[in-house]
Amino acid sequence: MTSADMVELLKALALLSVFLLIGTFLRAKVKIFQNTFLPASVIGGFLLLILGPYVLNILKLPDTWMSAYAALPGVLIIPIVAAGPLGTKFTSGGSLARNYRIGQMLLLMWVLTAVQLVIGFGVNLAFRGLGYDLYDAFGWELNMGYVGGHGTAGLLASLLKDVGDPNWEVAQGVATTMATIGLVGGIVIGIALINWAARHNQSACLDKPGMIPQELKTGFVKDPAKQASMGRETTLSASVDAYAFHLSLILVVCGMAYLLQAGVKKLNNSILSGISVWAYAMLLMFLVWWIIQKLKLDFLVDVKVKGKVAGSMTDYAVIAAVSSLNIKAVSAYLVPMLAMAVVGMAGTVLILILFARRMIKKEWFEHMIAVFGQGTGVFLTGVLLLRVCDPDNKTEALNNYSIAYTFAGVLTQMLMPIYATIIATWGTAAMFGQSVAQTLVWVVCSLLLWLLVGKKLSAKDEL
């Protein structure tokens, strides 16, 4: 890469930064953006998309910039995923009843993921039967967009590129669109569900929905005394900046992952060679974090600082994915996309209410609404909806949700390369069958947990 290439990349990132700041300003000032809780990266990304060459062409950006924007999410997702295990502490203990609810919440997340896969690939097969020419991976975007959010659009692109799927860029655009529909629809429907729960006495602590703090709407805290800390300064800047230290740990693991992937490919094993580099990065980070703990150097790692490193990359990955959304290519799939979005949202609501009421019992609605937020938006969407129906944090739902989400994310990310391999090798029908089988497995696990633990706790009135 020449000096001129680096300058062009810097200019392209500078433009993304301009629109990220514009998105921040619009979120702070425009009511519709506040009420839908759209992130600044999504707002700025859509504005750049509209002004850019794919829509109005007011900003005549070079093709190289648009190609860089399309590729950036697939690259940034590697350090984003790699950062996950760093600083993670898996706690144990708690009452049997609480651990049961965490287990059911975890299984609920996995059931939801599997059901969304069934719906997505089912829509693919149904529309193929109607004569639509859909690529094999179409349908995966429902789960990647709804459960994963905008950040996973780049992850989907990376997975499909690794298995040689030429439709990775279109799939990234479809996933970005589904994430936007899921985020906005999840907030609107989530608030409606909370109002329903309040009117029908289904909430454990809510007579009427709590007020959403203005700071959550605008995206900033005006009073410096109330502004949260970004984390501990684990190293002194005289040696190395704490942010740079955490970033270096993450990037070193990414480099190790590329070396490991290159070594594995020399073995000529088709299964191992198909594993994405981000999966290697995640596994290696678990190992690196374990070594750091054994060496008693874990005081150097702060989860908040790590989160800010990953969060910064996520913002740029999202705004790049949205701004490079190929409207023309994605619009060819408009009808099946809308069908997938509607059926997916309805299926999400139905499966969560049915299972949560039956399996969790105590504070079922609070546990359900958190999973619903995560299953249509991102982790923080679940936190937001939970804050509306449990403003004083009277229930166990938030703590249980955080623990269940940590475990759910690890397994889900480990399964993704397998999904990509199934699609590339055997096609849509095989992936649909696998999704049905996976749904049945998680449902059976949930039922077994109820029969072995939940039923006894319920008889003792402990649920």
Side-chain angles (χ1 to χ4, degrees), residues 250-273:
I250 295 167
L251 294 182
V252 164
V253 169
C254 292
M256 292 166 59
Y258 276 107
L259 291 175
L260 179 58
Q261 186 189 51
V264 167
K265 285 185 176 180
K266 292 179 181 179
L267 301 175
N268 294 320
N269 184 298
S270 58
I271 296 177
L272 293 177
S273 298

Side-chain angles (χ1 to χ4, degrees), residues 393-452:
N393 198 25
K394 294 179 179 178
T395 71
E396 296 178 353
L398 181 58
N399 287 333
N400 295 352
Y401 171 53
S402 301
I403 296 170
Y405 176 80
T406 301
F407 286 98
V410 172
L411 179 65
T412 301
Q413 289 183 346
M414 292 175 68
L415 289 173
M416 284 178 185
I418 299 174
Y419 299 159
T421 302
I422 291 173
I423 295 168
T425 308
W426 295 290
T428 306
M431 186 59 205
F432 176 77
Q434 187 276 344
S435 302
V436 171
Q438 187 181 163
T439 302
L440 293 175
V441 168
W442 299 133
V443 169
V444 169
C445 287
S446 181
L447 290 172
L448 287 174
L449 184 59
W450 163 255
L451 291 173
L452 295 174

Side-chain angles (χ1 to χ4, degrees), residues 8 53-54 57 60-70 169:
E8 284 301 302
Y54 290 159
N57 200 25
K60 302 184 184 299
L61 305 180
D63 291 340
T64 52
W65 287 26
M66 299 308 296
S67 297
Y69 291 161
E169 193 169 352

Side-chain angles (χ1 to χ4, degrees), residues 19 25 29 38 44 55 80 117 119 152 160 213 225 242 244 255 258 275 277 293 349 364 368 392 409 438:
F19 279 87
F25 174 79
K29 296 297 182 181
L38 283 175
V55 183
I80 291 169
L117 289 172
I119 293 172
T152 54
L160 295 179
Y258 276 107
I275 298 176
V277 67
Q293 289 179 299
V349 173
W364 78 267
M368 184 280 295
D392 299 320
Q438 187 181 163

Side-chain angles (χ1 to χ4, degrees), residues 4 35 44 73 97 162 171 183 192 258 313 354 409 431:
N35 293 333
D162 286 343
L183 183 62
Y258 276 107
M313 294 181 182
L354 287 177
M431 186 59 205

Side-chain angles (χ1 to χ4, degrees), residues 16-32:
L16 285 184
S17 302
V18 168
F19 279 87
L20 186 58
L21 292 175
I22 292 173
T24 304
F25 174 79
L26 291 175
R27 169 66 183 268
K29 296 297 182 181
V30 180
K31 291 293 183 183
I32 190 171

